[in-house]
Amino acid sequence: MHFTHEDIARTHMEPMARPGAEALFALGHLERLARQSRGVGRWVSHARAWMAAQPCRHPGLQHALRLRDELLPFLLARPAPDRDAELAPDTRRALAALAEFQKACLLPYRTSLREMLDETRLCYSDMVARLGLAATLERLQYNAKWEAGTLTVDDGTDREVFLDGQGLKLVPSAFLSGTPRLYTWREGGAEGGAAELQPGPPVHILVFPVCPHGLASTALVKDTQRPAKPLPQLLGRTRAAVLERLTRPQSTSELSAALRISATTASEHTSVLRGSGLVSTTRNGGSVLHEVTALGALMLNSPPEPARPWCRDCADRRAEGTQAKELVA
């Protein structure tokens, strides 16, 4: 891939792939692990159980896998299948089966997926800030190489891509494994062959795996199986609820009515929170208003505890990036 100065300026990282595209990557992940029974993790077990209970979906999902190279640009570009698009009936059935798979197998893991992809995005964004874009792009794959404005990535095909000032969108995927994949299409093109419509500029998306070894899915946890929030355990359920309500100013009587507790109890909780520096109290005429302080807001929005590394090789590789940036500093 050849980068101009404009390409470097316009290259950025998206939070995640669109759900349909990530569902297709997840389906491919299941296919790769078809013969593996140990160490696959809870997500694979959940997806396999759903597949076993939905034999009627198998033809559509298999067709989606066969069409993956054609469907992925479509799914990466659009939030949902375009109902007005002229699609073949079997393609529509494949997309419908994929949507059911996404709803049943990815949606229950939505929070865990988002946290994993957010952590990946922050990690690489930090690399860009400290090491620069070239060094960060080289870390998307072990043998990726940047030289004189050109990024060489081995994805199994031999091709030369000129970004032509449009930049590159980097998209992390929890289910993709192996090498990054480049997808290109033109926005606003004449898909139906209408001569009067001019194709738009090319869009280049480089999807890269969170873990090239395919182990990221083993760290996924269902939303219903996630550990309880630590704040109620630390403060008590009612006091934590009082703190959460005070993200906007409220009086003692408003707190009492909203949480269905007595005014005396509400006053006692705000007094303890104020003594701990989590809540401030101001008088406005004849009423008293309580509101969280900066410390209280920080406690409410504290980031989750970092997950245990699921892949030691990837963890060591990220640590190498951290050591490199410390040497640069």
Side-chain angles (χ1 to χ4, degrees):
M1 285 178 284
H2 298 276
F3 289 73
T4 65
H5 294 298
E6 289 186 356
D7 293 316
I8 293 174
R10 292 180 179 177
T11 293
H12 65 282
M13 187 168 292
E14 298 281 322
M16 61 188 300
R18 294 192 184 277
E22 190 73 322
L24 193 49
F25 289 133
L27 199 59
H29 183 57
L30 276 180
E31 183 184 44
R32 287 189 298 272
L33 297 178
R35 299 178 180 274
Q36 187 172 334
S37 58
R38 294 184 179 181
V40 295
R42 287 171 287 186
W43 179 84
V44 170
S45 299
H46 170 84
R48 283 175 175 173
W50 181 85
M51 294 281 285
Q54 300 287 332
C56 61
R57 299 293 181 188
H58 292 185
L61 294 174
Q62 288 299 319
H63 190 61
L65 283 173
R66 287 193 295 269
L67 294 177
R68 83 179 90 193
D69 290 338
E70 299 175 30
L71 289 179
L72 275 169
F74 180 85
L75 293 170
L76 286 165
R78 293 168 173 80
D82 186 353
R83 294 181 179 178
D84 297 328
E86 296 181 0
L87 298 175
D90 55 351
T91 303
R92 286 187 177 277
R93 285 191 291 270
L95 290 173
L98 190 65
E100 288 295 322
F101 173 77
Q102 186 268 327
K103 182 179 179 181
C105 298
L106 269 68
L107 192 60
Y109 295 82
R110 176 174 52 188
T111 304
S112 187
L113 267 170
R114 182 169 292 277
E115 287 180 355
M116 177 184 292
L117 295 172
D118 284 348
E119 181 183 352
T120 300
R121 189 184 186 209
L122 286 173
C123 176
Y124 281 101
S125 296
D126 187 55
M127 286 187 190
V128 171
R130 295 179 178 269
L131 300 179
L133 179 62
T136 303
L137 289 174
E138 285 186 327
R139 282 168 171 76
L140 295 179
Q141 186 187 8
Y142 287 101
N143 58 349
K145 183 179 180 181
W146 175 277
E147 185 176 1
T150 299
L151 178 68
T152 303
V153 178
D154 181 10
D155 69 346
T157 60
D158 187 9
R159 54 181 167 158
E160 196 170 13
V161 177
F162 293 85
L163 301 180
D164 293 330
Q166 298 303 314
L168 181 67
K169 292 183 181 181
L170 303 169
V171 179
S173 169
F175 295 101
L176 183 67
S177 62
T179 62
R181 314 287 170 79
L182 179 68
Y183 299 96
T184 302
W185 68 89
R186 289 186 178 272
E187 288 186 334
E191 294 184 10
E196 66 274 10
L197 295 178
Q198 296 297 321
V203 177
H204 306 281
I205 287 188
L206 187 68
V207 185
F208 66 95
V210 169
C211 173
H213 313 95
L215 298 177
S217 67
T218 62
L220 296 177
V221 180
K222 270 187 182 179
D223 288 358
T224 56
Q225 296 173 338
R226 291 170 60 80
K229 292 183 178 180
L231 197 58
Q233 298 175 352
L234 178 65
L235 301 179
R237 184 182 303 174
T238 304
R239 193 164 293 165
V242 169
L243 187 64
E244 290 176 347
R245 292 287 305 183
L246 294 180
T247 52
R248 62 182 183 85
Q250 293 191 37
S251 65
T252 303
S253 59
E254 287 174 326
L255 277 175
S256 173
L259 299 177
R260 297 183 180 181
I261 57 178
S262 68
T264 301
T265 301
S267 180
E268 290 175 351
H269 284 305
T270 55
S271 177
V272 173
L273 292 170
R274 182 171 58 253
S276 302
L278 303 178
V279 165
S280 64
T281 300
T282 57
R283 184 170 295 278
N284 185 15
S287 63
V288 173
L289 295 178
H290 311 284
E291 186 177 11
V292 294
T293 61
L295 179 61
L298 182 62
M299 178 172 284
L300 285 172
N301 299 310
S302 58
E305 185 178 346
R308 177 180 57 83
W310 59 87
C311 177
R312 177 55 57 189
D313 196 16
C314 289
D316 291 344
R317 191 158 171 254
R318 289 189 182 187
E320 288 176 6
T322 303
Q323 293 170 2
K325 68 189 180 188
E326 290 175 351
L327 290 175
V328 171

